[in-house]
Amino acid sequence: MSTYLYGANVHANGIRQHYLRYGGTDGARAGRDAVVLVPGITSPAITWGFVGERLGSQFDTYVLDVRGRGLSEASDTLDYSLDAQATDVIEFAKALGLNKYSIVGHSMGARIAIRAARSNPAGLTRLVLVDPPVSGPGRRAYPSKLPWYVDSMALARKGCSAEDMRSFCPTWTDEQLKLRAEWLHTCDERAILASFDGFHDDDIHADLPHIKVPALLMAAERGDVILEEDVAEIRGLLPGVETTRVPGAGHMIPWDNEEGFYRAFGGFLGAEL
């Protein structure tokens, strides 16, 4: 049975924020913290719907369209900075009256979660940081290259098939490729360029010592987004952080090893998935 409830919009932090809701607050979920899922740089909320379904089985779950993606607000005057994105999440939780909530962020979404947690917002109880880019000032570049994003978005804006997307995402299933082909055009190029620049200009490592809530760092076994020396540095900056690697997975962890992704949470959020 699906846990999907509805999609909706809320005015928070001065913009329209679109989200998908799963699970609700009935049964055992009533006693557990809500979960706000923040996707990566070119992942509209709908592309994380399958994860929302699973999280919704145990938690009241909200999957965000980050500003400039999906059905959330976008414009040529909108601030696409990490600070604005982080404040969006905090104000989103306030607007929906989420008194206690966890943030699960993937890639860019994990960097947003780190910046949001730095200010210790009321109601935030824990963080799950899924393969966050550890690039920044004076650090090695993020391994994915900008043309991969720009070229695939240009193709999607023209209208393309799942097969057209295969050269960009060769390991994805037909269903995953169809969803990306359908929704990638909703990613505003201005937002993606700003966020990609932010991967190299924003210093999330400086935020880590200010985080006061429990955190779980989930890294991919394959790929080079997070190396072992990066894990060690994060442990030093954020004492007590739990760490795990998902076997057989690249950066898009639940696409590569969905069940391994859910197992990696353990009971960290308050119930196993």
Side-chain angles (χ1 to χ4, degrees), residues 63-149:
V63 186
L64 285 186
D65 269 329
V66 177
R67 59 171 59 200
R69 286 91 173 164
L71 301 181
S72 285
E73 191 164 331
S75 78
D76 58 2
T77 60
L78 206 58
D79 180 359
Y80 290 117
S81 68
L82 181 61
D83 285 337
Q85 293 169 333
T87 305
D88 281 349
V89 178
I90 295 168
E91 293 302 317
F92 172 83
K94 286 183 184 177
L96 291 184
L98 304 182
N99 296 320
K100 297 179 73 176
Y101 65 97
S102 304
I103 301 176
V104 175
H106 171 252
S107 193
M108 178 193 74
R111 290 172 66 93
I112 293 171
I114 290 168
R115 181 58 55 89
R118 178 187 174 120
S119 63
N120 296 303
L124 180 62
T125 56
R126 57 182 72 78
L127 297 178
V128 180
L129 309 173
V130 183
D131 225 41
V134 291
S135 46
R139 296 177 175 274
R140 73 178 189 277
Y142 181 55
S144 293
K145 305 304 180 185
L146 185 59
W148 186 90
Y149 299 104

Side-chain angles (χ1 to χ4, degrees), residues 170-266:
T171 65
W172 288 25
T173 66
D174 289 347
E175 183 179 0
Q176 291 162 352
L177 291 169
K178 287 176 182 176
L179 204 56
R180 188 162 181 83
E182 179 185 3
W183 282 90
L184 185 58
H185 77 91
T186 68
C187 293
D188 189 295
E189 185 170 280
R190 295 160 295 196
I192 276 58
L193 293 175
S195 292
F196 190 85
D197 287 345
F199 284 174
H200 303 93
D201 298 336
D202 295 316
D203 186 2
I204 60 162
H205 290 79
D207 298 334
L208 293 171
H210 300 275
I211 294 174
K212 305 302 181 187
V213 298
L216 170 65
L217 174 66
M218 186 188 304
E221 183 182 65
R222 293 191 286 104
D224 54 359
V225 173
I226 298 181
L227 306 178
E228 280 306 309
E229 52 263 39
D230 301 318
V231 174
E233 182 180 13
I234 290 170
R235 283 175 174 155
L237 293 169
L238 186 56
V241 63
E242 297 182 30
T243 61
T244 185
R245 282 196 181 271
V246 179
H251 183 57
M252 301 299 286
I253 295 177
W255 278 254
D256 292 336
N257 183 357
E258 185 177 357
E259 290 304 317
F261 172 69
Y262 300 134
R263 284 194 298 272
F265 284 88

Side-chain angles (χ1 to χ4, degrees), residues 7-18:
N9 298 277
V10 64
H11 188 78
N13 197 29
I15 67 166
R16 184 191 71 256
Q17 297 192 47
H18 176 260

